[in-house]
Structures are given as C-alpha cells and as structure tokens.
Amino acid sequence: NAGVTQTPKFQVLKTGQSMTLQCAQDMNHEYMSWYRQDPGMGLRLIHYSVGAGITDQGEVPNGYNVSRSTTEDFPLRLLSAAPSQTSVYFCASRDRADTQYFGPGTRLTVL
Amino acid sequence: EDQVTQSPEALRLQEGESSSLNCSYTVSGLRGLFWYRQDPGKGPEFLFTLYSAGEEKEKERLKATLTKKESFLHITAPKPEDSATYLCARGGGYNKLIFGAGTRLAVHP
C-alpha cells in the first residue's frame, strides 16, 4: 500500500492563479480531509468528505473548493491564489478505528 | 469553541533525561484525544488514541495518559531519534480533529 499520496510536493504560484492539489489513498477509507499548517499554529481543517459525492466545510474553507467523485481521490482546488494561502497542505484519510493517516504534504508559496 | 493547548512550545532534553509534554483540551463533545509525531518536512504520524479518563497507552519510550482535562505524553530515557514535533488533537463531530500548535522536542546526546 502506498497509503496517502500528494502531488506536487512543492508549488509556486502568482497571485490570482488557480491550481489543484492532488490527493489519493489506496486504503479504501471513506473519510478524507484537507488541512493547512502554518508556523506557530496547529493544523487547521479546510474541507472534509465522508464518502464519494459528499463534502463539507471545515474551519477555514474560504478560497478553496473540493469534490469527491471516487473513494480514492480528493483534490483541493485553489480558485484564485492569494499570499495568505502560502502554507503547507496535508491530505489525510481515516480508518474505522478513527486513526488518520496523513500524506507527505504540498508546500505552496503564493507570490 | 473547541481548543487544544500544548505546552511547552519547545523542550530540550539530554539523552536519557525523562520528561512530559502537556495537552489541555476543551472537554465538551470529546471524541478521542490523539497524539501524532511530525518530523521536519513530513506529514504527521499517528502514535496514540485515548478515549476515557484513566486510559494509558505505551509504545517504546512513549506513554500517553488521559485525565478529564489534560493528556500527557511521557518520554522515558529519550534518545536523539525521538527528536520531533509532537502534536496533540481532540476529536469532535464527524471526527474532525482540532490540533494544538505542537511541542518541538530536541534530544541531545
């Protein structure tokens, strides 16, 4: 099992550009989520999904969009990048024992 | 509002010097208290889940305990490879995790 994979590892964007952060898991987990991690702060939940076709907002959803067409994939879209979205983004999936497995992260810089 | 507070922010230990990390959390609606380890440039790695006061779990040199308001991560005789950031999180509705800012642990030989 590859676990949770994320691409790209690094990305630099200009203000106003859009992009999609990819996330995939091969553990057949229903629950997936996206977090951002900023210095001095805990990971904050952006969006989550409890299964294919079902998504909901987390703590900091503004400026981000998600969809869940398959169990395996949960992409995160930045609609119009802003410098405040410079962060490290982590995707996670959860098993039935409540354990969340995190991907390696995407480091995003918005200029 | 759900909150998780970790202390200290940073901790420096000599190899073999035991210590504890603290995590205090809002109690209402708790659905599990989670500990993760995060190495630089990597995603968090699951360590423990605790559900009820008095519960304890151990893994190698780490032991996590839970009271009604706090959780502790005890590190016994740490080694340099235990150096990492340790994250605490409380579970809430839909198993959303609310994370603390973490404790950066450095263990020196």
Side-chain angles (χ1 to χ4, degrees):
Chain A
N1 282 357
V4 179
T5 58
Q6 292 183 239
T7 56
K9 290 189 184 304
F10 301 93
Q11 184 70 49
V12 179
L13 292 178
K14 294 181 180 179
T15 297
Q17 287 185 315
S18 62
M19 77 158 296
T20 300
L21 280 62
Q22 301 292 343
C23 173
Q25 54 96 4
D26 62 359
M27 297 174 282
N28 203 33
H29 293 164
E30 294 292 333
Y31 185 98
M32 296 184 72
S33 53
W34 277 100
Y35 292 84
R36 61 178 288 173
Q37 186 174 40
D38 300 295
M41 303 182 72
L43 284 91
R44 291 180 292 168
L45 182 65
I46 304 171
H47 285 286
Y48 66 97
S49 169
V50 298
I54 306 169
T55 64
D56 206 346
Q57 296 181 352
E59 184 184 357
V60 288
N62 292 342
Y64 307 95
N65 213 350
V66 292
S67 60
R68 185 95 179 271
S69 56
T70 67
T71 299
E72 295 78 19
D73 300 299
F74 191 41
L76 178 73
R77 281 181 287 278
L78 278 70
L79 308 172
S80 178
S84 61
Q85 294 179 304
T86 294
S87 188
V88 182
Y89 291 85
F90 290 101
C91 178
S93 70
R94 178 177 67 84
D95 65 17
R96 291 175 185 251
D98 292 344
T99 300
Q100 294 218 24
Y101 299 87
F102 286 83
T106 294
R107 284 146 189 80
L108 176 67
T109 301
V110 183
L111 302 175
Chain B
E1 181 181 326
D2 293 337
Q3 284 194 330
V4 176
T5 304
Q6 293 189 246
S7 62
E9 287 187 18
L11 182 62
R12 179 189 170 115
L13 298 174
Q14 289 298 123
E15 185 171 2
E17 179 187 2
S18 300
S19 187
S20 296
L21 312 182
N22 176 268
C23 172
S24 60
Y25 59 91
T26 50
V27 177
S28 177
L30 180 73
R31 291 181 58 176
L33 191 292
F34 301 81
W35 283 98
Y36 286 82
R37 169 189 170 129
Q38 187 175 24
D39 293 302
K42 297 191 175 181
E45 177 186 350
F46 172 77
L47 291 173
F48 305 109
T49 308
L50 302 166
Y51 286 104
S52 54
E55 190 174 356
E56 298 183 351
K57 290 192 177 174
E58 287 189 66
K59 180 180 179 180
E60 296 181 357
R61 296 175 292 282
L62 300 177
K63 183 169 77 172
T65 62
L66 186 67
T67 72
K68 287 185 179 179
K69 295 187 299 184
E70 296 175 296
S71 179
F72 295 92
L73 186 65
H74 307 278
I75 304 175
T76 303
K79 298 182 178 182
E81 53 262 41
D82 295 320
S83 297
T85 295
Y86 290 86
L87 305 173
C88 170
R90 75 179 298 281
Y94 293 102
N95 273 311
K96 298 179 196 179
L97 292 182
I98 306 296
F99 280 86
T103 293
R104 294 188 311 279
L105 174 65
V107 182
H108 296 269

